[in-house]
Amino acid sequence: MKVPLLDLSAQNGPLRRELDRALAEVIDSNQFILGPAVRDFEAALGAYLGGLGVVGVSSGTDALLLSLMALGVRAGDGVIVPSFTFFATAGVVARLGAVPLFADVDPASFNLDPASVERLLDRGDLPAQPRAIIPVHLFGQGADMDAVLSLAGQYRLWVVEDAAQALSAVYPSRDGFRPLGGLGHAGCYSFFPTKNLGCFGDAGAVVYSDENFGARLRSMRVHGADPNEKYLNRVVGANFRMDTVQAAVLKVKLPLLNQWSAGRRANAARYRDLFAASGLVDRELVRPPAEVYDGCGVENHHIYNQFVVRVKDRDRLLEHLAAAGIGTAVYYPRPLHLQPCFAFLGGAEGDLPVSEQISRDCLALPIYAELSEEQQAYVVETIQQFYA
Ligand SMILES: *Cc1c(COP(=O)(O)O)cnc(C)c1O
């Protein structure tokens, strides 16, 4: 049996006619950049998110970069980020000449540990004055936003949510249920093909609730051009425009997003049962991911962009699974404070022990909605066989 990490044909197949039609419309319109489908998709996503403003952009990375630029984060400013995340979260900070300030994560949620953030903020010897924080909702589950927002209020930080993996997930905040991405000053999504809502290339979006900020994002998306006078630039932006093709695809797929995320949740629940029954959990060989908001009153508090287990002897298990036809991946094998490009910040082994430990023992298993029961059983049996 083969179990790929992700099977996009299984998702696109049933939509093929609708996708063909949407793509043909774009070809006939000759408006390939920021065409009508981009506006339509922005409106549809805004409505889906309960009335947030949406700016479609060129990627999730660019959504983060544009957000920081529009908030006025500049060279020399400090931006707090988790060390255990995709590179882009910190890369965009460095690209602005700003300084990533790495905090550790919580071993259960994989997300920013508020205590580590607070220790960082209280340090007297930070290399840069913190101006912003980027909580990441890793693998599709919200960071502790109540704590992040309260620290941000106390220390006057901008909050840019990296919700690249978390569109369609809900956070049970003190003020009620809110879509992840909709809690900070800006929220960033990615539509990279492997995300829960993926397009046919690169695209992303920034969401906002302040209209003035939205206008600034829109202008900076096109080099900072004045909306009424194309060659009048009041600020410096860049080319962060969204392709019409991507918006056309996303418009077709958005109505199915909740259904796909529910499918991922159902598969996660099945893995949990299979792992519990296998004895691997009791023997502490496999630790399934924690649902830290379980029982909060909504289902989609974790939408499993990835199903990441922590395992003993990870690298050899990965090879064993690959040999059995099972696709897995390590998200992420190197904490960012130990990346060579950030060596100048002086990060050292032992600084952020939780990030370091998780990067040694994490493993993402196939979780896409179309995965069959037989495939999941095969994955768990193959893992059992490895530890036998
Ligand atoms: C995918 C991802 C990004 C970047 O999105 P792209 O569209 O690939 O540029 C940023 N942060 C996280 C956590 C991601 O998973």
Side-chain angles (χ1 to χ4, degrees):
M1 190 182 312
K2 282 254 182 291
V3 192
L5 181 60
L6 178 64
D7 179 5
L8 289 174
S9 304
Q11 182 185 86
N12 292 328
L15 294 173
R16 185 55 190 261
R17 282 161 145 260
E18 242 185 298
L19 289 167
D20 283 346
R21 198 172 325 123
L23 293 176
E25 252 176 56
V26 177
I27 295 171
D28 291 336
S29 79
N30 289 314
Q31 292 182 266
F32 296 107
I33 306 282
L34 292 180
V38 174
R39 279 192 299 281
D40 292 351
F41 172 66
E42 287 174 344
L45 182 59
Y48 173 85
L49 293 168
L52 292 173
V54 177
V55 180
V57 297
S58 31
S59 71
T61 304
D62 285 344
L64 291 165
L65 183 59
L66 171 61
S67 297
L68 294 178
M69 286 170 68
L71 288 168
V73 171
R74 288 181 305 181
D77 290 345
V79 179
I80 297 170
V81 296
S83 177
F84 186 67
T85 176
F86 179 58
F87 183 78
T89 313
V92 293
V93 175
R95 270 188 65 187
L96 290 172
V99 182
L101 303 170
F102 294 109
D104 213 349
V105 298
D106 176 273
S109 70
F110 304 135
N111 282 321
L112 265 182
D113 173 5
S116 174
V117 173
E118 202 162 6
R119 275 198 302 278
L120 194 63
L121 284 163
D122 288 341
R123 257 174 54 182
D125 61 341
L126 281 177
Q129 173 71 30
R131 303 279 182 209
I133 181 167
I134 310 182
V136 181
H137 308 311
L138 206 63
F139 307 139
Q141 176 170 248
D144 184 346
M145 287 302 291
D146 283 337
V148 167
L149 291 171
S150 110
L151 285 170
Q154 194 182 334
Y155 291 86
R156 312 196 55 204
L157 306 172
W158 298 114
V159 178
V160 176
E161 293 177 75
D162 182 341
Q165 303 181 1
L167 176 57
S168 79
V170 165
Y171 177 75
S173 83
R174 271 197 286 265
D175 307 324
F177 296 113
R178 307 273 288 279
L180 285 176
L183 291 120
H185 298 99
C188 301
Y189 299 112
S190 164
F191 308 118
F192 187 77
T194 63
K195 311 293 177 171
N196 282 31
L197 180 64
C199 60
F200 290 176
D202 276 310
V206 182
V207 298
Y208 60 88
S209 34
D210 180 287
E211 279 308 326
N212 290 326
F213 181 58
R216 197 170 154 82
L217 289 168
R218 256 171 228 292
S219 162
M220 291 179 94
R221 171 173 68 173
V222 285
H223 298 290
D226 186 287
N228 304 311
E229 199 177 331
K230 189 175 172 188
Y231 293 106
L232 176 65
N233 296 68
R234 297 184 197 278
V235 288
V236 178
N239 172 4
F240 294 128
R241 296 175 302 227
M242 184 187 241
D243 289 352
T244 315
V245 162
Q246 308 312 337
V249 169
L250 292 166
K251 245 174 57 178
V252 170
K253 289 191 170 189
L254 179 62
L256 294 154
L257 175 60
N258 284 356
Q259 178 188 319
W260 290 329
S261 294
R264 286 166 178 268
R265 283 192 55 74
N267 290 345
R270 184 173 302 121
Y271 268 137
R272 229 176 269 290
D273 291 346
L274 289 168
F275 278 122
S278 73
L280 292 168
V281 181
D282 287 339
R283 290 162 63 206
E284 297 186 359
L285 296 167
V286 173
R287 193 173 344 161
E291 292 198 341
V292 295
Y293 307 113
D294 191 22
C296 71
V298 290
E299 275 295 300
N300 48 340
H301 51 86
H302 194 332
I303 48 89
Y304 292 97
N305 177 246
Q306 300 295 346
F307 186 87
V308 174
V309 294
R310 299 183 60 188
V311 294
K312 278 236 157 63
D313 209 359
R314 193 258 323 270
D315 295 336
R316 284 204 323 121
L317 171 62
L318 186 157
E319 279 171 32
H320 177 80
L321 290 168
I326 297 169
T328 63
V330 175
Y331 304 121
Y332 297 92
R334 199 186 290 271
L336 299 187
H337 70 286
L338 299 180
Q339 288 286 0
C341 65
F342 295 134
F344 72 97
L345 294 169
E349 195 88 36
D351 285 353
L352 302 172
V354 180
S355 296
E356 291 165 26
Q357 182 55 41
I358 297 172
S359 60
R360 282 191 290 266
D361 64 20
C362 64
L363 187 66
L365 303 178
I367 190 67
Y368 57 92
E370 298 82 4
L371 200 63
S372 71
E373 279 182 47
E374 292 71 27
Q375 286 175 309
Q376 285 194 273
Y378 177 64
V379 170
V380 175
E381 280 158 25
T382 309
I383 295 175
Q384 257 180 310
Q385 188 189 73
F386 172 77
Y387 290 114

